[in-house]
Amino acid sequence: MERLKRHVCFGGVQEVHRHRSAVLGCAMEFALYLPPQAARGPVPLVTYLSGLTCTWENATTKAGAQRYAAEHGLALLFPDTSPRGLDLPGEHERYDFGSGAGFYVDATAEPWSANYRMFSYVTEELPALVGGAFPLDMARQGIMGHSMGGHGALVSAFRHPDRYRSVSAFSPIVAPSQVPWGRNAFTGYLGPDEAAWAAYDATALAASTAWRKPVLVDQGTGDEFLAGQLRPELLEAACATAGIPLTVRRQDGYDHSYYFIASFMGDHLAHHAAALRG
């Protein structure tokens, strides 16, 4: 790893690192916030997955998360949203596919399958890397995200209920198999067999997951993508049938932006802290 940036922040440190990813076959950057409590020993880790077009930088500078992480003694990991520097054919043509839009899947269709393996990267390779290099208690992990990242967080938790103790999401794409963003991405990354898409669809996974810990979702009622791309009612129905304790808070007038995320970040990190204590 190469450290690119370091800032003292709320008594802790906000750092940015670059490393060579064997899973993705390229150089990747990530941000990591270590709270002041990390100076005394390992602390729990919450991974934040960002949305379409974002990098690690959006949440680190706009979400206001470090203040609450310092209060609760939580480390925050901010991965990127796709492989970088590959310049595959068509990779940069759309905002919702390719660069900045890895959708946290392990692609199986060519040419994406060689590098677009973001699910393995964020759930396996990157946690192993930081867990071996920083004072982190990897037995106490939570995961959260926004929009495409909310989809990634829910899928990661539902597929790895023994690894993550907590999950939450802002404006998640809860049923990507049923909305344009997800269908476009899944067709490109996973191919036309829609049965294979269920492994990366939180609404579909609800029926089979062993996850039974509380799930917190915040959704703005003024979100321009609510009806067409997000559809939280589908996850509510699936979780009710499966017996998963889901809370969807519909926040009046809030949109899809980081103004919305920053407004409720404190609640989300309190949710994670309650599950990760001890």
Side-chain angles (χ1 to χ4, degrees):
M1 276 189 297
E2 174 190 6
R3 189 172 71 191
L4 305 179
K5 299 181 181 182
R6 183 181 187 274
H7 305 281
V8 176
C9 183
F10 292 104
V13 290
Q14 177 68 65
E15 299 184 344
V16 179
H17 295 263
R18 179 189 292 127
H19 74 108
R20 179 74 185 180
S21 168
V23 167
L24 305 180
C26 63
M28 294 292 287
E29 295 181 3
F30 67 89
L32 179 70
Y33 177 71
L34 293 173
Q37 295 86 341
R40 302 191 294 271
V43 295
L45 176 67
V46 177
T47 298
Y48 179 98
L49 303 182
S50 293
L52 291 167
T53 75
C54 292
T55 68
W56 55 261
E57 186 173 21
N58 298 74
T60 61
T61 59
K62 297 179 181 179
Q66 294 90 341
R67 171 187 173 183
Y68 303 108
E71 291 176 359
H72 294 295
L74 300 174
L76 301 175
L77 176 62
F78 304 92
D80 205 342
T81 53
S82 76
R84 299 291 174 174
L86 301 173
D87 293 325
L88 298 174
E91 185 181 20
H92 310 305
E93 293 179 359
R94 298 176 59 103
Y95 79 94
D96 57 354
F97 185 82
S99 181
F103 263 84
Y104 305 104
V105 305
D106 284 350
T108 54
E110 297 293 341
W112 314 101
S113 57
N115 305 97
Y116 272 69
R117 302 179 60 214
M118 289 299 294
F119 183 76
S120 290
Y121 177 70
V122 300
T123 63
E124 301 283 352
E125 185 182 32
L126 187 56
L129 178 71
V130 298
F134 300 98
L136 304 173
D137 183 351
M138 301 306 286
R140 293 187 288 161
Q141 289 190 67
I143 192 163
M144 64 188 302
H146 169 233
S147 193
M148 178 185 72
H151 139 73
L154 292 167
V155 168
S156 297
F158 285 3
R159 288 183 57 172
H160 293 296
D162 295 330
R163 181 175 309 165
Y164 298 104
R165 293 193 186 183
S166 57
V167 65
S168 73
F170 296 96
S171 311
I173 305 171
V174 302
S177 299
Q178 302 183 53
V179 299
W181 275 343
R183 293 186 63 83
N184 173 69
F186 285 7
T187 300
Y189 293 135
L190 304 174
D193 180 8
E194 296 190 18
W197 299 359
Y200 298 103
D201 186 308
T203 296
L205 287 169
S208 59
T209 181
W211 184 276
R212 290 298 182 272
K213 295 179 280 289
V215 179
L216 174 62
V217 169
D218 269 315
Q219 173 62 63
T221 64
D223 192 320
E224 62 269 40
F225 304 113
L226 176 56
Q229 305 282 9
L230 306 179
R231 305 188 64 187
E233 69 279 1
L234 297 178
L235 183 65
E236 287 177 301
C239 287
T241 299
I244 298 171
L246 167 69
T247 298
V248 177
R249 307 191 308 181
R250 288 171 170 80
Q251 306 291 0
D252 189 38
Y254 284 88
D255 58 20
H256 202 69
S257 71
Y258 268 88
Y259 296 109
F260 164 57
I261 296 169
S263 297
F264 301 102
M265 178 59 72
D267 292 350
H268 281 245
L269 290 184
H271 165 81
H272 288 278
L276 298 176
R277 290 191 186 101

